[in-house]
Amino acid sequence: MGSRKDKKGGGVIRGTLANIGRVIAALIMVGIITGCIIASVLTVYILRYINSDEEISLSDLNLRYSTILYTEETDPETGEPKVLQQLQTTENRIWVSLDKIPKHMQEAVVAIEDQRFWTHQGVDWKRTFGAFVNMFIPIYPTQAGGSTIDQQLIKNITGDNEVRIERKVQEIFRALNLEKRYSKDQILEAYLNTIYFNNGAYGVQAAANTYFGKDVSELSVAEAASIIGITNAPGAYNPLAHPEANKRRQENILFAMHEQGYLTDKEYEEALNEKLEFKTEFAASRVNPVYSYFTDYVIDQVIDDLMEQYGYTNQVAQQMVTSGGLRIYTTVDERVQDIVTNFYSDVKNFPTVTNEGEYPQSAAAILDPNGKIIALAGGIGEKRGMREFNRATDAYRQCGSSIKPISAYLQAVERDVVTWSTKIDDGPVDLGTHTLVNHYSGYLGPITVDEALQRSTNTVPYKLIQQIGPKTSFDFLTEKLDMYSLVDRKVTDSGIKSDIDVFPMALGGLTDGVRCVEMAAAYQVFGNGGFYNEPYTFYKV
């Protein structure tokens, strides 16, 4: 009796184990099939986004393209748009052969950027895998990069630096092909001649000239490490602007060189203790082309649009404008711009403000009613450089009585509060602590809106704003005329400030002021039937 039960129990166990085995086998088969499907999809994905036949050539590197600005006029000789300005770039490029670059500079860049450079075939698979894993499992506090010198050179040549998996895959295949066509020395030479070192310096020779006033062959170990340190983040490690950060980066590079056997203990200590003497006057003496204020503003607007529409960083956008071969079609009227430039360049056209011959400052923005900016002046006196402070577009100044037509009178007429012939009493307004006065002596009594506007009376717009409400005028100026300089609410040391009040809207005493170009754009509505057009300097790139 008992033996039958044992046999029956054993059969049940064997059956259960068999079922479990079949389930495990099925799971393994599903896993294998799934893996095959994933591998097939990845293969198709890779083949779709790479071009293994595409080759990067080092023999025809084209490192610089001129950007040209055009006017709307046509050149009578060519029939093409007339050239306004061919941008001169502050780039400084001097190619130097590898045998002229000190060995310790070559070792510095390999030590910090790609320590297995001499042994890998274009891709450091260990670093690439680590960077890939770090994307999903953040092992390192900052994202570790897997790019080799080959891959970084490809970015420098192609300008293709988007953060996309397919671009990274394509870059890997390009790097593998690069290694098949060129020697390590050729790749390293090209890389050292195409890196950006800030302050307009491209390549190690230009960097040596800019920062130390030397030929690259004369650089010490400490100087070479300092220059190589810039490459990781040219803005953050610029030794002229951030010497402490550059020094920390230099010390990291020297440590890596020592750890990897490129420097002896003595050489390492000497390099660490060497005092670096940067030739700041050399960088400051670089040729600085002079552009008109209009050209400066075009450059700023194109850079802003590239950043906004395509997500480029400021540095990438600036490089595209200065050396990206762009063709920018502008709105300038050269004749008007020349008149404005010549007038503002001569300080004698403006009155002095003191007996010592000091002159005031001023700016001008001239627009067509359709929003085209046709001329700009950003300050009084001869312009001596490019990308200078532009008071027409960047300065916030009090607009005073010029706000009255667009804030008080326009809204009062628009809302049928008054007409141009309506009479309003130009009489004293009691403000509690004092009485509101006009810039002229006394008061005129009942006068028409037309006369009040012509005389720039203070009392009439004050009363109009009281009737229509300051919020009504504020909303119109900000929402319809894009006067974003106006302040809704701002906390300051002296309390809370706001332009939503009677005085700012009636008399123009604003919290921060407005920009000249904003006021010019707002006044367009009087010349084109009430329509507002956003001011612009170019219509095609």
Side-chain angles (χ1 to χ4, degrees):
M1 200 74 173
S3 62
R4 284 199 206 99
K5 288 182 179 179
D6 290 343
K7 288 178 181 180
K8 186 177 181 180
V12 170
I13 292 172
R14 283 193 296 274
T16 301
L17 291 175
N19 288 333
I20 293 174
R22 282 192 290 270
V23 169
I24 293 174
L27 290 174
I28 292 174
M29 291 301 296
V30 169
I32 293 173
I33 293 171
T34 302
C36 291
I37 292 172
I38 293 173
S40 300
V41 170
L42 287 175
T43 302
V44 172
Y45 181 82
I46 291 173
L47 292 176
R48 179 181 176 185
Y49 283 105
I50 67 164
N51 181 0
S52 58
D53 295 328
E54 183 177 1
E55 295 179 340
I56 301 297
S57 175
L58 302 185
S59 60
D60 56 355
L61 282 177
N62 196 340
L63 301 176
R64 183 174 179 271
Y65 301 90
S66 295
T67 288
I68 301 175
L69 277 63
Y70 297 97
T71 72
E72 290 190 289
E73 300 176 57
T74 300
D75 190 318
E77 295 183 2
T78 64
E80 299 293 324
K82 189 177 179 182
V83 174
L84 169 67
Q85 182 84 56
Q86 179 170 320
L87 297 188
Q88 300 177 48
T89 173
T90 54
E91 295 173 14
N92 179 14
R93 299 180 183 270
I94 308 171
W95 191 280
V96 60
S97 60
L98 192 65
D99 60 351
K100 297 293 192 298
I101 300 174
K103 192 70 175 175
H104 51 254
M105 179 169 255
Q106 300 175 40
E107 293 167 346
V109 74
V110 169
I112 198 65
E113 295 291 341
D114 186 4
Q115 66 182 76
R116 284 181 283 275
F117 170 73
W118 298 108
T119 56
H120 65 60
Q121 301 302 310
V123 178
D124 189 333
W125 295 110
K126 181 178 179 180
R127 289 178 63 195
T128 300
F129 179 75
F132 178 78
V133 171
N134 202 59
M135 289 172 58
F136 303 97
I137 307 174
I139 301 171
Y140 306 102
T142 57
Q143 187 170 337
S147 293
T148 62
I149 285 176
D150 305 66
Q151 290 168 282
Q152 293 179 52
L153 173 59
I154 289 167
K155 292 175 188 175
N156 292 343
I157 294 173
T158 63
D160 191 356
N161 197 26
E162 295 183 39
V163 183
R164 293 180 293 111
I165 294 177
E166 57 266 27
R167 184 205 61 79
K168 193 67 178 179
V169 172
Q170 187 179 51
E171 181 186 279
I172 287 173
F173 278 85
R174 283 173 167 175
L176 294 173
N177 283 334
L178 190 70
E179 287 270 346
K180 295 175 183 177
R181 300 187 63 204
Y182 298 99
S183 67
K184 290 288 187 181
D185 283 352
Q186 289 174 306
I187 293 170
L188 186 60
E189 177 180 310
Y191 177 71
L192 289 171
N193 278 285
T194 56
I195 319 174
Y196 178 56
F197 291 98
N198 212 313
N199 290 297
Y202 285 79
V204 291
Q205 179 71 299
N209 293 344
T210 299
Y211 294 109
F212 296 105
K214 294 182 177 182
D215 186 88
V216 66
S217 61
E218 301 171 332
L219 293 176
S220 67
V221 174
E223 292 168 337
S226 174
I227 286 177
I228 294 301
I230 302 170
T231 64
N232 183 256
Y237 295 125
N238 175 4
L240 305 185
H242 307 288
E244 298 85 2
N246 178 267
K247 179 60 179 173
R248 290 194 297 271
R249 180 68 176 168
Q250 179 231 32
E251 290 176 353
N252 289 339
I253 293 172
L254 293 174
F255 177 80
M257 294 175 71
H258 180 246
E259 285 291 294
Q260 295 172 39
Y262 294 121
L263 296 177
T264 64
D265 292 344
K266 181 181 178 181
E267 290 170 335
Y268 174 56
E269 290 298 326
E270 289 177 348
L272 276 179
N273 296 323
E274 182 179 328
K275 184 179 179 181
L276 300 176
E277 296 182 5
F278 297 105
K279 305 296 182 181
T280 55
E281 68 279 1
F282 182 89
S285 67
R286 296 290 303 279
V287 176
N288 190 17
V290 179
Y291 300 153
S292 71
Y293 284 108
F294 178 88
T295 297
D296 280 354
Y297 194 42
V298 173
I299 294 172
D300 290 341
Q301 285 207 314
V302 173
I303 289 172
D304 288 344
D305 281 5
L306 286 172
M307 293 170 62
E308 180 181 348
Q309 294 187 33
Y310 297 101
Y312 296 135
T313 64
N314 184 268
Q315 179 183 330
V316 170
Q318 290 206 47
Q319 289 179 358
M320 288 185 69
V321 172
T322 57
S323 58
L326 304 184
R327 298 296 180 261
I328 303 172
Y329 297 85
T330 75
T331 61
V332 71
D333 185 320
E334 271 197 295
R335 183 186 64 85
V336 177
Q337 181 64 65
D338 287 345
I339 293 172
V340 171
T341 298
N342 292 335
F343 186 85
Y344 268 79
S345 295
D346 189 353
V347 295
K348 295 179 181 178
N349 289 321
F350 298 86
T352 57
V353 292
T354 67
N355 294 330
E356 287 73 30
E358 294 182 5
Y359 290 88
Q361 266 302 343
S362 175
I366 302 176
L367 280 69
D368 270 345
N370 57 15
K372 291 180 181 177
I373 298 177
I374 61 176
L376 289 174
I380 295 174
E382 184 179 354
K383 194 171 186 290
R384 300 184 181 278
M386 64 182 230
R387 312 290 296 283
E388 291 184 351
F389 181 67
N390 191 336
R391 291 174 181 83
T393 59
D394 300 327
Y396 293 79
R397 298 291 184 265
Q398 295 300 331
C399 61
S401 293
S402 62
I403 202 171
K404 296 173 184 176
I406 55 177
S407 62
Y409 292 105
L410 188 151
Q411 280 299 286
V413 172
E414 180 78 11
R415 295 176 179 277
D416 295 327
V417 174
V418 296
T419 68
W420 294 113
S421 60
T422 301
K423 285 194 173 184
I424 298 178
D425 183 33
D426 173 22
V429 176
D430 185 7
L431 301 177
T433 57
H434 63 284
T435 301
L436 181 64
V437 297
N438 294 307
H439 67 88
Y440 48 83
S441 177
Y443 304 94
L444 301 175
I447 58 174
T448 64
V449 168
D450 185 32
E451 184 178 357
L453 175 59
Q454 292 185 51
R455 290 179 177 272
S456 191
T457 301
N458 287 337
T459 58
V460 173
Y462 185 90
K463 293 176 179 179
L464 292 177
I465 291 295
Q466 282 185 315
Q467 284 186 265
I468 62 178
K471 184 69 162 61
T472 298
S473 288
F474 181 88
D475 289 345
F476 172 73
L477 296 178
T478 54
E479 296 173 10
K480 302 300 183 182
L481 301 185
D482 290 356
M483 296 181 68
Y484 300 122
S485 298
L486 302 184
V487 173
D488 184 346
R489 185 177 185 276
K490 182 178 183 180
V491 179
T492 67
D493 293 338
S494 58
I496 298 174
K497 303 290 185 181
S498 174
D499 291 329
I500 308 176
D501 204 348
V502 178
F503 268 104
M505 291 296 97
L507 306 179
L510 304 172
T511 303
D512 293 332
V514 293
R515 297 180 301 133
C516 177
V517 71
E518 280 181 311
M519 287 300 294
Y523 266 78
Q524 288 177 103
V525 296
F526 295 118
N528 64 0
F531 290 99
Y532 173 83
N533 295 294
E534 182 180 357
Y536 62 100
T537 56
F538 69 95
Y539 56 89
K540 184 171 68 173
V541 177

